[in-house]
Amino acid sequence: MEIRVVPKSITELEADALIVNLFDGVSSPSGATGDVDRALGGAITDLIQSGEIKGKLGEVTVVHTLGRIPARRVLVAGLGKAEAFDLEKVRVVSAAAVRKARDLGAAHVTSIVHGAGIGKLDHKQAAAAVVEGTLLGLYTFKEYQKRGEEDKEVREFTLVEIDAGKARAMADAARVGRIFAEGTNLARDLGNEPPNQLTPSALADRAAKVAEELGLECEVLDAEAMGRLGMGALLGVAQGSAEPPKMAVIKYQGHPGGKETLALVGKGITFDTGGISLKPGQGMEEMKFDMCGAASVVGAMRIIGQLKPKINVLGVIPTAENMPGGKAQRPGDIVRAMNGKTIEIDNTDAEGRLILADAICYARKLGATRIVDIATLTGACVVALGHVASGVVANNDDLAEQVLAAGKASGEKFWRLPAYDEYKKQIKSDYADLKNTGGRPAGAITAGLFLAEFAEETPWAHLDIAGTANELAEVAWQPNKGASGIPARTLARLALSLAERV
Ligand code: BES
Ligand code: MN
Ligand code: ZN
């Protein structure tokens, strides 16, 4: 899609749909919406008076222009209450409005930048948020469906800003918004791929391809290399599948010689049957999304590789398929992870923490000074936080707070869970250093504390996205069933904010 910012008067622009806005409770529109209203002989004011337009958040009202201005129709997008308006609302409003325009068959959509004028937001940040929300809201996954004639597509998106200097700055910001959305949409694409297509090898190839496009180094370990490194936990999970495991590492060097290296480690189980501790058949197809942590890391690395913050970042992607083959590991098996710790396999369905254990060890070996892992790790996290917020477990308050702040700036919700030492006894084993399950109580926390054993003294935060990766509670920028791309944008913003601190 083509995106432009033009310094023109809003009433002179040609478009299939022109998006303007209105705060909740405003009876006579001002600013750009006021200009359009006057050009239409007060049509918007009339609709407000008759109660058809209220300005509620997410409301989109179509007004036909009947040749009074070059734009064929005007879409009045409700912004909600002025006091509650922020950049996340800009994304939500932009997504809702552009989708309405697409449904009406508009190929060329023009919009004002919500919040840049009377909304009092920074005009650059607002422009980035409009583009981010627009591209996230228009996302579809149609790789495996025939494209029909009825498939409607927005091909051109134009932002208007009468001040030429501001318009230039907004064009740079629009590029940033586009990069954030496209990285997220890449993560969504990977998540939505079927598990017969996106095998561990295919996922590693996709990661390598993204790295190549960005001019970044990418290392891919095979099973033999993992064996030499002592990655017994990861190899144990993979041994039940005919598909070999892989570990892809994308290396972004934004601060060569810098002391800090952030590692983003994403769970890449391309399909989780549960293994010998087999899952019930109902809903098992959803376990193709068990690589969404890895997908978010690939998406974030693409954003980081394009925006080039001054920090070193490793994207670590351990990937395997959890299958109950004849060579599969059994409950009762004991494996040894790369840091030498032994693990009793209590349940082969707690596989995510096993592949992450070795990946976290490897990130430390590569020099990571801060580690964030992302995983569709536990059903317990879905019970605790539902499909609204992702869970956070961390061994470091500063890193946890940085993650929460980056999430807030992205409109992706996180909630920190307690990690008291008292929970640790649940993952003690009678036969090994640890066991891979901690029973039903506090399942999301004990899973996190298991991972903490491999992060050791490195500052680390774990993001459990089991409830948000593919069944996110509806929000305008995530209208479809399927992968949400969470938390690619938060991870990229985290890297940008850490870069600013050093
Ligand atoms: N991939 C699942 C977690 C999951 C569950 C993700 C539901 C999305 C929706 C994970 O590998 C798993 O099976 N976890 C087990 C752990 C248990 C055996 C300790 C779980 O949560 O039931
Ligand atoms: Mn599992
Ligand atoms: Zn899993």
Side-chain angles (χ1 to χ4, degrees):
M1 189 169 84
E2 203 183 309
I3 300 175
R4 286 176 301 161
V5 184
V6 299
K8 275 197 182 162
S9 157
I10 186 137
T11 50
E12 288 166 12
L13 280 160
E14 278 183 39
D16 298 318
L18 169 62
I19 299 168
V20 295
N21 63 35
L22 190 79
F23 278 115
D24 191 349
V26 171
S27 55
S28 99
S30 58
T33 308
D35 295 344
V36 172
D37 184 43
R38 273 187 297 281
L40 297 180
I44 297 175
T45 305
D46 285 351
L47 289 165
I48 296 169
Q49 263 158 21
S50 69
E52 205 171 317
I53 299 181
K54 297 192 174 68
K56 296 243 177 281
L57 184 66
E59 169 195 282
V60 183
T61 312
V62 185
V63 183
H64 291 273
T65 58
L66 308 175
R68 285 172 185 258
I69 58 173
R72 287 179 58 192
R73 20 177 126 64
V74 168
L75 270 52
V76 184
L79 301 181
K81 297 279 183 209
E83 314 86 80
F85 198 64
D86 60 13
L87 289 168
E88 173 60 2
K89 302 278 188 334
V90 175
R91 292 184 200 103
V92 164
V93 166
S94 305
V98 79
R99 233 183 5 261
K100 178 75 182 179
R102 180 179 65 190
D103 291 348
L104 293 169
H108 180 193
V109 178
T110 297
S111 179
I112 61 170
V113 176
H114 312 296
I118 38 178
K120 297 195 179 69
L121 300 176
D122 173 73
H123 62 281
K124 293 195 290 287
Q125 290 188 345
V130 168
V131 173
E132 196 175 305
T134 296
L135 293 177
L136 290 173
L138 289 175
Y139 176 81
T140 57
F141 184 73
K142 295 258 168 71
E143 287 305 301
Y144 298 92
Q145 283 172 328
K146 227 201 264 135
R147 277 184 192 266
E149 281 204 355
E150 70 283 4
D151 275 349
K152 295 165 180 161
E153 206 186 319
V154 177
R155 291 205 195 82
E156 262 180 86
F157 186 73
T158 307
L159 288 173
V160 272
E161 166 54 53
I162 190 83
D163 179 317
K166 271 191 179 175
R168 263 193 305 279
M170 283 175 166
D172 292 339
R175 174 181 165 265
V176 174
R178 180 183 202 128
I179 287 170
F180 270 95
E182 286 178 351
T184 309
N185 289 344
L186 166 64
R188 289 167 164 181
D189 276 346
L190 291 171
N192 288 327
E193 281 287 341
N196 60 332
Q197 297 296 331
L198 196 84
T199 59
S201 301
L203 176 54
D205 284 349
R206 293 285 292 264
K209 209 177 111 210
V210 168
E212 195 188 318
E213 282 165 8
L214 297 165
L216 304 180
E217 194 189 322
C218 182
E219 177 188 29
V220 180
L221 304 180
D222 60 11
E224 206 192 306
M226 293 178 199
R228 278 197 301 271
L229 287 159
M231 297 184 177
L234 193 162
L235 289 168
V237 172
Q239 75 192 32
S241 171
E243 292 292 337
K246 293 275 152 39
M247 173 110 67
V249 183
I250 304 174
K251 297 174 181 174
Y252 169 76
Q253 291 276 339
H255 194 195
K259 287 196 296 284
E260 295 283 353
T261 297
L262 171 68
L264 306 175
V265 183
K267 172 178 173 182
I269 293 291
T270 60
F271 195 72
D272 181 12
T273 66
I276 295 300
S277 312
L278 195 63
K279 286 184 182 294
Q282 176 117 37
M284 202 200 273
E285 70 284 354
E286 300 226 330
M287 284 301 133
K288 74 168 186 174
F289 293 112
D290 215 16
M291 36 56 68
C292 283
S296 75
V297 171
V298 177
M301 291 307 290
R302 184 155 182 266
I303 300 170
I304 292 165
Q306 290 180 298
L307 293 180
K308 301 187 171 46
K310 198 174 166 196
I311 183 175
N312 300 323
V313 188
L314 297 169
V316 183
I317 295 143
T319 174
E321 189 181 43
N322 190 21
M323 295 286 270
K327 291 190 174 152
Q329 72 179 348
R330 296 142 288 253
D333 282 4
I334 293 179
V335 297
R336 188 184 294 275
M338 191 178 159
N339 67 349
K341 290 191 182 176
T342 57
I343 305 160
E344 179 191 358
I345 307 302
D346 193 42
N347 186 320
T348 64
D349 198 10
E351 83 298 338
R353 64 197 77 183
L354 296 169
I355 70 165
L356 289 168
D358 279 330
I360 290 169
C361 291
Y362 192 56
R364 295 187 70 215
K365 183 183 150 77
L366 294 178
T369 55
R370 282 194 180 86
I371 299 175
V372 178
D373 81 72
I374 309 92
T376 46
L377 205 64
T378 65
C381 192
V382 188
V383 173
L385 302 175
H387 301 288
V388 175
S390 307
V392 180
V393 178
N395 67 2
N396 182 282
D397 292 343
D398 177 55
L399 183 58
E401 273 155 31
Q402 292 278 320
V403 169
L404 297 179
K408 199 149 205 246
S410 304
E412 297 179 334
K413 296 183 168 67
F414 294 88
W415 196 259
R416 190 169 177 190
L417 303 170
Y420 298 117
D421 280 344
E422 286 86 336
Y423 292 112
K424 280 192 193 161
K425 66 172 189 290
Q426 290 176 234
I427 51 171
K428 281 227 168 80
S429 163
D430 293 331
Y431 305 103
D433 296 330
L434 295 163
K435 62 178 177 181
N436 77 330
T437 63
R440 277 173 64 85
I445 295 171
T446 55
L449 287 173
F450 179 90
L451 297 174
E453 295 290 326
F454 302 89
E456 303 191 43
E457 67 283 353
T458 305
W460 153 89
H462 154 68
L463 314 183
D464 193 333
I465 58 167
T468 52
N470 63 290
E471 260 195 275
L472 189 68
E474 195 184 316
V475 36
W477 47 257
Q478 176 57 40
N480 311 288
K481 270 186 75 126
S484 66
I486 283 178
R489 290 181 293 137
T490 294
L491 297 175
R493 285 200 172 86
L494 174 69
L496 294 179
S497 71
L498 289 174
E500 253 151 48
R501 292 211 309 189
V502 285

